[in-house]
Amino acid sequence: MNKKALWKISYGLYIVSSKKDGKYNGQIANTVFQLTAEPPTIGVCINKNNLTHEYIQESKVFTVSILSTQATMKIIGLFGFRCGRDVDKFKDVEYKIGKTGAPIVLDHTVGCLECEVTGSMDAGTHTLFIGKLLDAETIKDGEPMTYEFYHSVLKGKTPKTAPTYIEEGDKKEVRKEARMARYKCTVCGYIYDPEEGDPDSGINPGTPFEEIPEDWVCPLCGVSKDMFEKFEEEQ
Ligand code: FE
């Protein structure tokens, strides 16, 4: 068996959210799909360990925010790598409360769906929730993000259109001269590249890892600086 064939399946990238006891939570999911047209039903597959799973089971509602290709690693990191048990993910994002009372993330969202759970299926590590579509809306213009785009274009890379972008070849030269090592987060795999810095957190391009303030945290998963280790250059 060649499991690499599985990588050829296409997916999108979504934030699936729900509610429980007046609290909100959401998470990144790539397994969201329309099951039937009439009536419109939506399937989402959620890991049983996740807080969103608990919320959906309890409230029997969920929303889906369809992310655009403009979505930043910051929001993907917040909803994808942080746990709602540790952090209020909705504190600093734009959202609204839908008909179901569950939150809908609006940041970098091209469209949203609201569903009421009508059935579910045990899928081992996950539960496949099936929901009747109660409402749907287009939010912003833009291209929906695909999983492929997320991996190949977005992950750990600066877009070519960004002012901080440096050609790979040039980067290696600069690093060699300046002896600035890259550091990798041992929790989520994020790589801090001194040439790029972390402008969202006020770390300018050209800042060596050693000079980043101690209270800086991984922009993806939120762990502290001491969870990073030197990332050796592959030759
Ligand atoms: Fe991390």
Side-chain angles (χ1 to χ4, degrees), residues 109-171:
T109 294
V110 292
C112 67
L113 316 171
E114 277 200 81
C115 299
E116 179 184 51
V117 174
T118 53
S120 65
M121 186 189 155
D122 191 321
T125 53
H126 289 60
T127 299
L128 172 63
F129 291 105
I130 296 166
K132 185 173 84 178
L133 188 68
L134 296 183
D135 202 13
E137 198 183 331
T138 55
I139 306 283
K140 289 179 188 123
D141 289 338
E143 283 291 310
M145 169 101 69
T146 61
Y147 207 49
E148 171 64 22
F149 182 94
Y150 164 66
H151 276 302
S152 62
V153 183
L154 203 60
K155 195 165 191 183
K157 300 251 193 253
T158 307
K160 280 193 178 178
T161 49
T164 51
Y165 181 80
I166 305 168
E167 289 286 342
E168 275 302 322
D170 296 347
K171 262 193 217 169

Side-chain angles (χ1 to χ4, degrees), residues 151-213:
H151 276 302
S152 62
V153 183
L154 203 60
K155 195 165 191 183
K157 300 251 193 253
T158 307
K160 280 193 178 178
T161 49
T164 51
Y165 181 80
I166 305 168
E167 289 286 342
E168 275 302 322
D170 296 347
K171 262 193 217 169
K172 257 186 187 158
E173 280 311 301
V174 173
R175 255 200 305 276
K176 228 191 247 168
E177 276 173 35
R179 294 174 191 280
M180 286 197 288
R182 292 188 289 178
Y183 278 76
K184 185 178 181 181
C185 174
T186 55
V187 175
C188 74
Y190 166 83
I191 292 166
Y192 175 79
D193 187 338
E195 312 311 328
E196 291 173 7
D198 178 17
D200 283 347
S201 304
I203 310 296
N204 291 326
T207 307
F209 185 78
E210 294 77 12
E211 286 177 21
I212 300 174

Side-chain angles (χ1 to χ4, degrees), residues 81 184-190 217-223 227-228:
F81 290 101
K184 185 178 181 181
C185 174
T186 55
V187 175
C188 74
Y190 166 83
V217 294
C218 173
L220 282 198
C221 71
V223 298
M227 297 301 286
F228 279 69

